[in-house]
Amino acid sequence: MEWLKNLVASFSSSNSSDPEAKPVEIRKPIPDIPDVDEPRQPPDHRDEIVQMLKDTKVITAEWDAGGDSTLCSIKVDGVYADFDRVRYAIIDVLSLPNASENYDKGKGVISLNEQGEIVLTYSCRQHTYGDSFSETIPVAMEDPAGLRSFLHKAEVTINAHGSYSEADNEIEARVNITTIHGDAVEVKKDKLVYYEDMARNLAMDKIKEPHDHPGQELSNIYLSGMLTQDAVVYFQTERSYDQVEYHNNKTVVLPL
């Protein structure tokens, strides 16, 4: 090692009888610093995608963005494909959200236009939180299971809730019996169908009811009523709306 030779030479010089001798400067070499790799970019995939489209492969995209996440997937003939650059391009071009107050759900087909550009033709539903509305609804309710006979020792509530859309308008209903004291109150589930159906039908009636919320759609509904000795049950209802905008069969160029 050169620096070690210099060290030995310096000792030799310091012990030399020559008055003109000069000390040797010792410099330890600085080790080489390895180069830092540049961040790797996802593969381009353009040529591969163009060839797939020429081979009449069907390439689709689907996304569900918002609520602090941005999910986007690509499929080729129905099979998931690892085309990250394409996903990033779609997220960027469509400005897909990841904030909880904005949502964008859609799907589309990737193809080549006459200029040879890779394009996405898509439809989507964009929404953000809209208005909410609450009210109290009195409902005359019979008691075929005799639940009112348990009210001296238990609370009985009747609930219904659900998210509403054209594709999904399922409303769940349930009767909750909470024993306050004494032996637990047990009622067979088939005895509760009447109460659940009453709550479910009430929720569906409120869903179908016209509303004065321009540009908004009902997103979910919740109602709850407590059974009392009174023949009328007062249901507290909450309806939430979405401010909605639809885009159908729009086409954008993907920068690939």
Side-chain angles (χ1 to χ4, degrees):
M1 298 174 65
E2 187 64 28
W3 67 273
L4 184 58
K5 292 179 181 179
N6 292 337
L7 180 62
V8 173
S10 68
F11 281 118
S12 299
S13 299
S14 62
N15 294 328
S16 172
S17 58
D18 184 359
E20 300 295 328
K22 296 182 179 179
V24 177
E25 183 179 2
I26 302 173
R27 292 185 178 179
K28 186 175 181 178
I30 300 175
D32 293 335
I33 300 175
D35 295 334
V36 178
D37 292 337
E38 291 287 336
R40 294 186 177 182
Q41 296 294 326
D44 187 285
H45 292 303
R46 175 182 170 78
D47 293 340
E48 185 179 357
I49 291 172
V50 169
Q51 188 59 51
M52 285 181 174
L53 294 172
K54 289 181 178 179
D55 293 339
T56 67
K57 299 284 187 180
V58 178
I59 305 178
T60 58
E62 191 167 348
W63 58 90
D64 190 353
D68 298 326
S69 65
T70 304
L71 305 177
C72 180
S73 61
I74 308 298
K75 292 182 180 180
V76 178
D77 286 346
V79 179
Y80 285 102
D82 190 18
F83 289 163
D84 285 344
R85 186 68 70 87
V86 181
R87 294 194 306 108
Y88 297 156
I90 292 173
I91 291 170
D92 182 59
V93 170
L94 299 184
S95 299
L96 296 183
N98 61 6
S100 59
E101 68 272 13
N102 297 306
Y103 295 83
D104 189 320
K105 186 173 184 178
K107 57 185 176 180
V109 178
I110 294 173
S111 61
L112 292 174
N113 63 12
E114 294 180 354
Q115 291 74 38
E117 298 170 313
I118 297 176
V119 298
L120 172 70
T121 301
Y122 71 96
S123 297
C124 71
R125 179 185 187 271
Q126 299 173 340
H127 77 269
T128 188
Y129 297 137
D131 298 330
S132 60
F133 181 72
S134 61
E135 63 179 323
T136 301
I137 305 173
V139 177
M141 183 171 287
E142 298 178 5
D143 187 18
L147 298 184
R148 288 189 173 98
S149 65
F150 299 116
L151 294 181
H152 67 285
K153 59 181 296 184
E155 289 183 351
V156 179
T157 56
I158 307 164
N159 307 312
H161 65 91
S163 298
Y164 180 78
S165 67
E166 291 183 1
D168 178 18
N169 57 5
E170 190 74 22
I171 299 296
E172 295 184 9
R174 183 175 181 178
V175 176
N176 294 319
I177 302 175
T178 305
T179 302
I180 304 302
H181 59 80
D183 296 334
V185 175
E186 296 182 1
V187 180
K188 291 183 179 179
K189 186 170 179 57
D190 62 338
K191 300 292 186 181
L192 304 177
V193 172
Y194 165 81
Y195 308 88
E196 294 172 348
D197 285 347
M198 287 287 288
R200 186 180 295 108
N201 292 337
L202 176 59
M204 288 303 300
D205 288 344
K206 301 309 292 185
I207 285 174
K208 297 174 182 178
E209 184 179 276
H211 63 82
D212 186 22
H213 299 270
Q216 300 190 39
E217 294 180 355
L218 182 67
S219 62
N220 59 71
I221 185 171
Y222 175 81
L223 59 85
S224 178
M226 179 174 288
L227 194 69
T228 68
Q229 295 296 349
D230 192 340
V232 175
V233 175
Y234 292 88
F235 283 92
Q236 305 296 321
T237 67
E238 295 283 345
R239 284 179 286 172
S240 299
Y241 293 83
D242 288 336
Q243 189 76 42
V244 179
E245 184 175 356
Y246 287 93
H247 298 280
N248 295 308
N249 293 320
K250 294 191 66 175
T251 299
V252 294
V253 176
L254 299 178
L256 299 171

